[in-house]
Amino acid sequence: MSSTFYKISKKILFQLDPEKAHDLALWSLKNLDACGLSLNNKTIVNTPTNVMGLTFRNQVGLAAGVDKNGDFIKPLQNLGFGFIELGTVTPKPQPGNPRPRLFRVPEADALVNRLGFNNKGVDYLIEQVKSVQRDSIIGINIGKNKTTPIEDAHHDYEYCLRKVYPLADYVTINISSPNTENLRSLQRSDNLHMLLKRISATREALRTSLGVMKPIAIKIAPDLDDFELENIVEAVRTYEFDGIIATNTTTQRPHREFNNLSETGGLSGGLLTQASTQIIQKLSNLTQGSIPIIGVGGILNRQDALDKISAGASLVQIYSGLIYNGPRLIRDCAQAISLLRQPGK
């Protein structure tokens, strides 16, 4: 997709409600693919790298939230991602929070969302994954239903893990969305240890029965202090999880004068870039490379991606940057990272 074509498409889409524009863009991409007009592998950068025991065709992935239900896997793969993360998915279908629930902050290439894990349920997602021919790594991001009490959250995560384990290349445990009440309390040390212990036991049972060990990553918030980060690293090590995704959206509101920043929800995009990279650097210092980090949050250009890799991320994911800058961002970031890996760089 040329940058000119995307600029024209963006101008049209940005006249629509953000959530409607999101849906229209994805369905248009799917229809183009069905007509044989999809973007092809000419845009794909192949620089294989091994992380969490998996081989990724490049280090740039799609963050969870873009394709919650697995409806658009094939056309999204064709954009050139090294991996795609689907979800967040919950045991039962749920509508999410009332609309409007997605807001643009164009002054900073940012978004505010309070979607609330709107999805068609884990059974629908797994049928979509079964039906598609994959040519990149697929991760599945799992969460709890809104109606599940926080003290019973582990049941939802265990249920989803059992469902997605046979199909996912890796699984992400989302305990950091600000849009499900009390979800972030699962990041606290006592809750986290209880949750990860239960998930670890479930994974071991699945490994025994299916004969394969699938990597599991934990997705964390950018609003954690140093003590909380230390506790998370300790828990990840204790239960031998495979990675940390840093970060989810923030509840902080820098530059309050911008439009829509008064809306409740998680802030992503340009106003998250620095905070996310700082968390990655802190995690890298704590882990000394012993736990892979997937960096996400405010990657709007190749330099943002490089900064996250330099801070200690092994892989990166994009979401808001894709909306504001188009599919060319995928190739730009993947190429920049591949050059960084060359001897002498």
Side-chain angles (χ1 to χ4, degrees):
M1 180 183 292
S2 70
S3 57
T4 301
F5 179 79
Y6 183 73
K7 286 177 182 177
I8 295 171
S9 301
K10 176 183 171 183
K11 187 172 291 188
I12 296 170
L13 290 169
F14 272 45
Q15 300 302 310
L16 304 175
D17 166 81
E19 191 167 354
K20 289 180 179 178
H22 176 93
D23 294 341
L24 177 60
L26 287 173
W27 282 107
S28 298
L29 197 64
K30 186 169 186 174
N31 289 333
L32 285 171
D33 182 79
C35 295
L37 299 174
S38 63
L39 302 184
N40 57 37
N41 291 346
K42 291 179 182 177
T43 64
I44 294 177
V45 176
N46 287 297
T47 52
T49 186
N50 189 277
V51 180
M52 300 190 298
L54 301 171
T55 300
F56 296 79
R57 68 182 178 192
N58 64 56
Q59 289 166 265
V60 179
L62 179 69
V66 175
D67 187 4
K68 293 177 180 291
N69 300 302
D71 288 317
F72 309 100
I73 298 171
K74 186 173 180 288
L76 287 169
Q77 285 182 149
N78 289 340
L79 292 180
F81 288 108
F83 61 109
I84 291 172
E85 189 167 311
L86 306 173
T88 299
V89 69
T90 54
K92 300 175 183 177
Q94 61 181 29
N97 293 321
R99 300 187 187 214
R101 53 194 182 180
L102 181 62
F103 308 88
R104 299 186 188 99
V105 188
E107 301 93 332
D109 288 359
L111 298 169
V112 174
N113 95 80
R114 52 172 180 264
L115 294 167
F117 289 171
N118 55 307
N119 74 102
K120 297 177 182 178
V122 68
D123 286 330
Y124 179 91
L125 173 66
I126 61 176
E127 290 305 315
Q128 298 305 104
V129 177
K130 284 179 182 178
S131 68
V132 73
Q133 182 177 354
R134 65 176 74 184
D135 61 6
S136 64
I137 295 292
I138 292 179
I140 299 180
N141 184 304
I142 62 176
K144 83 169 193 73
N145 279 116
K146 180 179 180 179
T147 55
T148 302
I150 200 68
E151 61 269 20
D152 295 329
H154 60 277
H155 293 303
D156 282 12
Y157 287 100
E158 291 175 279
Y159 180 87
C160 285
L161 180 60
R162 285 191 289 267
K163 288 280 188 174
V164 307
Y165 192 91
L167 293 170
D169 292 305
Y170 72 91
V171 180
T172 297
I173 309 300
N174 188 346
I175 52 174
S176 52
S177 170
N179 301 317
T180 296
E181 187 177 5
N182 294 325
L183 187 75
R184 286 189 168 188
S185 69
L186 294 174
Q187 296 174 115
R188 294 201 300 259
S189 181
D190 52 345
N191 291 340
L192 184 65
H193 276 269
M194 186 275 289
L195 177 65
L196 297 195
K197 183 178 181 180
R198 296 290 296 260
I199 292 173
S200 178
T202 300
R203 178 170 67 165
E204 179 58 26
L206 289 164
R207 183 197 67 79
T208 301
S209 63
L210 299 176
V212 61
M213 177 72 93
K214 298 289 182 75
I216 299 180
I218 308 299
K219 189 167 187 176
I220 66 170
D223 309 314
L224 301 169
D225 61 31
D226 291 353
F227 178 73
E228 290 169 320
L229 288 175
E230 289 174 8
N231 284 335
I232 284 171
V233 169
E234 178 192 6
V236 169
R237 282 178 170 154
T238 298
Y239 300 104
E240 298 182 337
F241 281 61
D242 304 277
I244 300 174
I245 299 182
T247 64
N248 212 314
T249 56
T250 180
T251 56
Q252 301 301 308
R253 289 295 188 268
H255 303 285
R256 287 183 177 271
E257 70 276 12
F258 291 158
N259 290 330
N260 289 327
L261 283 184
S262 61
E263 297 289 348
T264 59
L267 174 65
S268 63
L271 297 178
L272 178 59
T273 309
Q274 185 176 1
S276 171
T277 304
Q278 287 175 346
I279 293 290
I280 293 167
Q281 185 66 69
K282 289 180 178 181
L283 287 171
S284 180
N285 293 340
L286 286 169
T287 63
Q288 293 296 302
S290 62
I291 301 171
I293 301 166
I294 301 175
V296 56
I299 296 177
L300 301 174
N301 53 56
R302 63 172 60 203
Q303 189 58 53
D304 294 334
L306 290 174
D307 289 345
K308 282 179 168 45
I309 295 293
S310 297
S314 299
L315 304 167
V316 298
Q317 293 177 323
I318 60 176
Y319 183 161
S320 299
L322 185 65
I323 293 170
Y324 280 99
N325 297 315
R328 178 64 182 268
L329 178 65
I330 306 163
R331 185 173 61 179
D332 286 349
C333 292
Q335 286 179 336
I337 295 170
S338 69
L339 289 172
L340 192 67
R341 292 171 56 187
Q342 291 180 3
K345 296 289 185 180

